[in-house]
Amino acid sequence: MRRTAESPHVVLALSDDLDLLPFLVELWRPRIGASALGDHYAPAPVLAGIDPAAFLSELGCVHRAARLWDGADRTDPLTQAEIAARRVEAADGLIVPTAPNSDDRRAGGVAVLARHLNPSSTLVNASWQPGSGLELPPSFLRPAPDALEEWRARLEPVTASRSCPVTDKGVSSVVWQTRRPLHPERLADALPTVMAGVVRSRGHLWLCSRPEAVMAWRSAGAHLELREADRWLEPETESEWRAASPQRRTLASWFWHDYYGERRNDITFTGTGLDPDRLCSALDAALLDDTELSLGSDGWADFPDPLLGDVPG
């Protein structure tokens, strides 16, 4: 943070038990009877340092769970892999240290992976020695415009895909988007094909078994989370439109369809050796066909849902 009028800067070193974006939104939230922090300080970019060895170890850990404070009294535990991915995705600047005068392939691979997880961030490959200083880009010390709205927008369950189109060191990202709802049983059957080689994936789904719900999709390492995160915006729900972020409203208007509304599937997959055609074909095969689509939500309720419900019979 920095004073809005002049120096000095204030550096907050945040602990690992915080879910970063909800914490920052809460920190900057105006309070009744007290001046807002934003009246005195302007947020600078959020920086994250990545230890390559520790980061890869955390991405491979899905058995150890921890709770992060996210502004709520009760939170569900998250895997270490999910926590590691969230730290990278929340940062505006990523610092990956490398040993001087060495070809550190692990650090290079982690830097590429971090770039795919957060394409809009500024990546710094820092070669440094103990006792020496690390010179950061000037942009890391400047106020971040509209930071609060950006943090809120990233917490929305419906967001725009952010993917890195470049394949480097075997790491690539694949974006899958479509308007039709998914058949839950066929999606479950497709998961082994879809998730092969995937290190991180995130996005949202339209699942026919829950037609009114925005289904959040997150995977990190070998762990996949699919949960009901919100409701789709409807034309008559004025209060829900007002409560949504400007980005959510813009996206809803941009993608609006007379029949589907804002409903759509949008997931970004990042990993090594991904086959885009194979991955997308497996997901496309899980979509409802014309006959199933014509049944409407009443007919879809009879479809078995091994992902979020019980299988009939």
Side-chain angles (χ1 to χ4, degrees):
M1 304 187 300
R2 65 174 299 174
R3 285 283 184 179
T4 54
E6 58 185 21
S7 295
H9 299 279
V10 176
V11 176
L12 295 181
L14 302 179
S15 64
D16 291 342
D17 62 351
L18 293 175
D19 199 356
L20 189 56
L21 291 181
F23 169 77
L24 291 174
V25 170
E26 177 67 15
L27 186 65
W28 248 262
R29 179 176 61 84
R31 290 168 172 76
I32 298 176
S35 60
L37 190 63
D39 293 339
H40 307 284
Y41 287 91
V46 177
L47 307 184
I50 305 175
D51 180 318
F55 183 64
L56 292 177
S57 176
E58 289 172 333
L59 283 179
C61 179
V62 295
H63 304 294
R64 216 159 27 95
R67 293 181 182 273
L68 297 185
W69 185 88
D70 67 352
D73 292 334
R74 297 178 60 84
T75 59
D76 295 325
L78 300 173
T79 65
Q80 291 297 318
E82 176 68 28
I83 293 171
R86 288 193 186 193
R87 287 197 201 108
V88 171
E89 291 164 347
D92 301 297
L94 300 170
I95 304 170
V96 180
T98 58
N101 304 318
S102 71
D103 181 17
D104 191 340
R105 294 186 177 182
R106 181 170 56 187
V110 166
V112 171
L113 178 57
R115 167 65 74 193
H116 277 267
L117 295 184
N118 192 345
S120 62
S121 66
T122 299
L123 180 65
V124 175
N125 287 287
S127 178
W128 62 286
Q129 295 179 348
S132 64
L134 177 61
E135 186 174 348
L136 298 178
S139 60
F140 283 7
L141 301 177
R142 299 189 188 119
D146 303 320
L148 180 57
E149 288 305 317
E150 173 65 19
W151 297 333
R152 286 173 173 163
R154 290 190 202 177
L155 291 173
E156 286 277 14
V158 179
T159 59
S161 295
R162 298 191 300 169
S163 67
C164 182
V166 178
T167 299
D168 190 8
K169 300 185 185 299
V171 179
S172 62
S173 292
V174 177
V175 176
W176 179 71
Q177 298 171 317
T178 185
R179 298 305 302 251
R180 290 195 177 210
L182 282 154
H183 190 292
E185 188 174 43
R186 292 204 293 272
L187 176 60
D189 292 340
L191 287 180
T193 300
V194 170
M195 301 305 293
V198 173
V199 176
R200 173 64 162 167
S201 62
R202 60 181 302 187
H204 59 271
L205 295 179
W206 178 17
L207 206 60
C208 74
S209 55
R210 304 202 177 192
E212 307 305 321
V214 178
M215 304 304 302
W217 168 296
R218 289 181 184 271
S219 78
H223 183 268
L224 171 65
E225 176 193 17
L226 187 63
R227 65 179 179 86
E228 186 172 323
D230 203 347
R231 312 290 285 180
W232 296 108
L233 295 176
E234 303 290 356
E236 65 276 6
T237 55
E238 183 177 345
S239 61
E240 294 180 9
W241 281 82
R242 288 198 303 267
S245 70
Q247 175 178 295
R248 172 80 182 274
R249 295 195 296 267
T250 300
L251 287 174
S253 301
W254 180 264
F255 288 102
W256 196 263
H257 186 278
D258 288 342
Y259 179 73
Y260 300 121
E262 71 160 341
R263 292 171 175 81
R264 58 191 175 89
N265 303 296
D266 192 328
I267 310 176
T268 301
F269 299 87
T270 298
T272 56
L274 299 184
D275 184 336
D277 293 335
R278 187 166 179 258
L279 190 158
C280 293
S281 295
L283 287 170
D284 289 342
L287 297 171
L288 298 190
D289 59 30
D290 289 345
T291 301
E292 292 168 330
L293 191 64
S294 67
L295 297 176
S297 57
D298 291 338
W300 303 341
D302 296 329
F303 294 163
D305 185 354
L307 294 172
L308 297 167
D310 297 326
V311 180

